[in-house]
Amino acid sequence: MPTNGEMFVYPGQDHRALENPNIPLGDPVVWNQVFGDYSTSAGEMVGASRALTLAPVYQAVSLISGDVAKIPLNIYKRRADLGERGREVDREHPAQFLVRWQANHQMTAYRFWRRMMVHALIWGNAYALIDRDPFGNPLEIIPLLPDRTAPRIMPNGDVIYVTEINGELLNFPSSAILHLENISIAGDADCELIFKARETFAQALAANKFASKFFANGARIGGILEVPLGMSKQASDTLEQGFRKTYEGVDNSFKTVLLRDGAKFHQAQFTPEQSQMVPVRKELVKEIARFFNLPPHKLGDDSKSSYNSLEQENRSYLDSSLSIWLNTIASEVWLKLLTTDEQKGQTHFAEHNVGAFIQADIKTQYEVGQIGINNGIVSPNEVRAFLGLNPRDDGLGDKFMQPLNMANSDDLDADDDSDDQVEDDEQVESDDEQVESDDERQMRDLLTKAIDAAITRVVAQVKTRCKKAKANRFCSWIDEQMFTDTLPAFEQRFDDELKLYCSISSRDYADLHHSLVDSFYSGLNRNLNDILQSVQPDQLRGSVDSILEQYKAEAISKAKDLI
């Protein structure tokens, strides 16, 4: 238990055991922590409950927590007999049922992981108590309230967790707590999102309040009511009351106000347009998206174009946002729910199955599946399982196709050199070449489409940058940042298709990848530099749009020639 005078108070919800003797109630800061609020420069108190009243925050938390929870998490055991990366789900492992199906007697795994992610996203930390049997096997994992739990680093370097349950502070060893941690400096829950983002959240709350007050007052702004000099207090009060009844409130929105006795009304506040209310609220959506590492369009900001396909959008979202949390969960499960022998022997590991999350459109799935079957990469039943279909009932679904032109030379009958046999072999080779040519053509078409989308995306990025930035900043961006800013998205759009195409056509992946990137960016830089050297700043945007549309067609044509 904590020593006397030691305070364990962490920001959170509206209710807390105030009778706890470790909470010095005379400290105003403690009161703010007790009731889950922080003062801000905007004048708004920010707590977990108030933050979730903001639509972008609620959507970000709901989106990420739901997506992380729905991606299946499994405990795998390695299978050396299936190759270097052979593995299978260990359905007998005591942790498998907990992390995949039911975390405890009251919560399914989906509900548990979503609850944990809500805690982690808002507070920056999520904690769950691991209940074990006498043999050390996990029986249940039970969420703890994040505002009443915190790690404590002991003098010897060990970490214990202090949590409040039913008004009592309890200590647990690190091995008994599943801890999902966002960024941290010292490892003691020191980077709570609600605290770090409180100014941004407060601005959004203030903007919402301003909008509500504006409409509550009949979409009219306040000001100063000037009365004639020498008017008695009773008369001025009567004038003010009459003015308020006629001017303020939603019901008075369309009424005409008549001022008598020389009274005048002077506007003393900015209108929403003058206050840049709409741009401010849009920018706050982007700021909130940055705190959650999300692209703004995920939170409803349509000012930036999104991806051309659901697969590409989900892959980018997975790589930039979800994968951080998926790796956090998997590594913590590996550390706390696997035995020391399983860890050191590397016989087991935890991993999410993200395949279903980044599935392509159904047409592309069937095309890629067909290419994989024709080249003996996968069996028909494996493709059917990926598509959510049952195995074939004719017994042929587990057989792999073997293209004859790819058979080992030792399998050929070198002794049979009769003319008839030679003619048959030549006919077989001709048929095989046609099959291979069809596969390559299909994959080349897919790769071409992917490169087309990649080029279109980068061109759109450059156009958007040109429209939003001043001419001198745009020039600096072209010289210093364009390549690094656009290359990851450019490569990601066609990388999978390029790898599969190279595996089928025996082309060198690194060489072809370098050629595609170098061809596109060298031409892009050349065209942009020609524009920057030949046009005036006020003509820059139109010239960039025009030349990039021409170059896009040229770049796509060059890419086709390369592949």
Side-chain angles (χ1 to χ4, degrees):
M1 295 294 292
T3 59
N4 291 335
E6 194 164 14
M7 183 177 65
F8 285 94
V9 179
Y10 300 94
Q13 300 175 337
D14 296 334
H15 303 290
R16 171 169 293 281
L18 295 180
E19 67 275 10
N20 194 316
N22 294 288
I23 299 179
L25 300 183
D27 189 343
V29 176
V30 174
W31 276 96
N32 283 339
Q33 293 179 339
V34 166
F35 293 106
D37 287 322
Y38 288 105
S39 59
T40 62
S41 300
E44 296 294 321
M45 303 296 286
V46 178
S49 298
R50 290 207 70 196
L52 285 174
T53 63
L54 296 170
V57 176
Y58 186 94
Q59 186 174 0
V61 173
S62 177
L63 176 70
I64 297 175
S65 64
D67 285 342
V68 169
K70 75 182 182 183
I71 299 177
L73 173 63
N74 292 303
I75 304 296
Y76 292 93
K77 62 180 177 182
R78 301 188 187 276
R79 290 277 305 275
D81 57 312
L82 296 179
E84 182 179 353
R85 300 188 64 183
R87 45 110 175 256
E88 68 177 358
V89 176
D90 189 351
R91 305 184 189 282
E92 302 302 322
H93 196 282
Q96 169 63 19
F97 185 74
L98 301 181
V99 301
R100 180 67 180 89
W101 301 109
Q102 186 175 5
N104 55 66
H105 68 285
Q106 292 183 333
M107 304 176 71
T108 62
Y110 175 84
R111 184 180 171 193
F112 170 82
W113 289 120
R114 188 162 200 188
R115 178 82 60 82
M116 292 287 285
M117 283 305 304
V118 169
H119 292 173
L121 290 166
I122 296 178
W123 282 274
N125 293 273
Y127 310 93
L129 177 63
I130 305 172
D131 185 21
R132 303 180 186 273
D133 65 16
F135 302 100
N137 297 317
L139 298 175
E140 289 186 323
I141 38 180
I142 305 167
L144 299 173
L145 293 176
D147 60 329
R148 308 185 190 188
T149 308
R152 180 186 178 193
I153 302 176
M154 306 300 290
N156 62 358
D158 291 341
V159 177
I160 65 169
Y161 288 83
V162 183
T163 186
E164 180 188 314
I165 299 177
N166 295 328
E168 181 181 1
L169 291 179
L170 303 176
N171 292 344
F172 292 99
S174 176
S175 59
I177 301 295
L178 195 72
H179 179 192
L180 305 185
E181 181 184 74
N182 200 346
I183 61 172
S184 178
I185 298 174
D188 56 355
D190 52 355
C191 287
E192 182 187 298
L193 179 65
I194 290 295
F195 180 75
K196 299 298 183 184
R198 68 190 186 281
E199 293 293 347
T200 298
F201 292 170
Q203 291 175 40
L205 289 168
N208 285 351
K209 180 182 287 187
F210 176 84
S212 299
K213 291 289 186 181
F214 177 71
F215 290 109
N217 286 281
R220 293 173 174 177
I221 60 176
I224 300 172
L225 183 61
E226 180 183 353
V227 299
L229 185 65
M231 180 178 282
S232 65
K233 185 177 185 308
Q234 181 178 2
S236 62
D237 290 346
T238 301
L239 177 63
E240 180 184 2
Q241 291 175 5
F243 177 78
R244 287 183 178 277
K245 289 180 180 180
T246 309
Y247 183 79
E248 296 178 352
V250 177
D251 295 334
N252 295 322
S253 298
F254 305 102
K255 290 183 179 180
T256 301
V257 180
L258 179 62
L259 296 177
R260 294 174 177 160
D261 301 326
K264 298 178 182 179
F265 178 74
H266 302 280
Q267 179 178 308
Q269 293 181 351
F270 289 116
T271 64
E273 292 80 5
Q274 293 171 328
S275 302
Q276 296 288 296
M277 181 176 176
V278 173
V280 166
R281 297 187 75 175
K282 286 187 175 181
E283 188 60 33
L284 285 170
V285 172
K286 295 179 182 178
E287 283 292 304
I288 291 172
R290 294 187 185 105
F291 274 108
F292 289 99
N293 200 25
L294 286 174
H297 72 268
K298 284 285 188 181
L299 301 185
D301 180 5
D302 57 0
S303 61
K304 182 178 180 181
S305 59
S306 63
Y307 296 86
N308 294 329
S309 74
L310 177 63
E311 176 198 9
Q312 292 168 342
E313 178 177 335
N314 282 342
R315 182 170 296 160
S316 175
Y317 169 47
L318 175 67
D319 292 341
S320 63
S321 181
L322 294 188
S323 62
I324 299 171
W325 289 110
L326 297 181
N327 280 281
T328 299
I329 292 172
S331 59
E332 187 69 3
V333 168
W334 177 89
L335 180 65
K336 302 294 178 64
L337 296 181
L338 299 186
T339 66
T340 303
D341 291 340
E342 291 169 344
Q343 294 169 354
K344 291 184 176 180
Q346 298 184 12
T347 60
H348 289 72
F349 63 97
E351 187 175 86
H352 288 84
N353 178 14
V354 299
F357 187 79
I358 56 173
Q359 281 186 359
D361 61 90
I362 191 65
K363 180 176 180 292
T364 303
Q365 291 181 48
Y366 274 97
E367 289 175 345
V368 173
Q370 180 186 12
I371 295 171
I373 292 173
N374 289 343
N375 287 275
I377 300 173
V378 293
S379 69
N381 278 348
E382 288 175 326
V383 175
R384 292 176 65 86
F386 180 76
L387 296 173
L389 303 174
N390 291 325
R392 290 175 54 166
D393 56 7
D394 57 5
L396 301 177
D398 291 324
K399 297 184 179 297
F400 289 83
M401 295 188 67
Q402 177 64 52
L404 295 179
N405 64 318
M406 296 177 65
N408 294 328
S409 59
D410 294 342
D411 296 335
L412 300 178
D413 186 2
D415 296 333
D416 190 354
D417 56 356
S418 65
D419 292 341
D420 292 340
Q421 184 65 39
V422 169
E423 291 178 358
D424 292 342
D425 290 343
E426 290 177 350
Q427 182 63 40
V428 168
E429 286 184 15
S430 176
D431 293 341
D432 292 341
E433 289 174 357
Q434 182 63 37
V435 171
E436 181 183 14
S437 177
D438 288 342
D439 290 341
E440 286 188 25
R441 189 178 300 109
Q442 291 178 7
M443 200 59 237
R444 186 183 293 110
D445 290 341
L446 289 176
L447 178 57
T448 301
K449 292 178 182 178
I451 293 175
D452 189 339
I455 292 173
T456 301
R457 175 61 179 165
V458 174
V459 168
Q461 282 183 279
V462 176
K463 287 183 179 180
T464 301
R465 189 78 184 191
C466 183
K467 290 178 181 178
K468 293 184 176 181
K470 294 182 179 179
N472 59 339
R473 292 187 178 181
F474 178 68
C475 295
S476 300
W477 181 77
I478 292 296
D479 294 335
E480 301 171 4
Q481 292 179 267
M482 181 186 71
F483 183 76
T484 55
D485 285 354
T486 62
L487 179 62
F490 179 72
E491 293 176 313
Q492 186 183 66
R493 293 248 172 175
F494 63 83
D495 192 58
D496 290 344
E497 290 83 355
L498 180 62
K499 289 178 180 177
L500 186 55
Y501 172 71
C502 289
S503 68
I504 293 174
S505 62
S506 300
R507 296 281 297 273
D508 184 84
Y509 167 78
D511 181 63
L512 184 53
H513 179 275
H514 174 75
S515 299
L516 290 169
V517 173
D518 182 67
S519 173
F520 173 68
Y521 277 98
S522 61
L524 182 61
N525 278 316
R526 183 176 60 255
N527 280 272
L528 289 172
N529 285 324
D530 288 345
I531 295 174
L532 297 177
Q533 295 173 9
S534 60
V535 302
Q536 297 299 320
D538 58 344
Q539 301 173 336
L540 183 61
R541 293 178 181 175
S543 300
V544 167
D545 285 352
S546 176
I547 198 66
L548 286 185
E549 282 303 316
Q550 299 176 19
Y551 176 66
K552 183 168 68 172
E554 176 188 339
I556 293 172
S557 177
K558 287 184 178 180
K560 289 181 179 178
D561 293 339
L562 288 172
I563 61 176

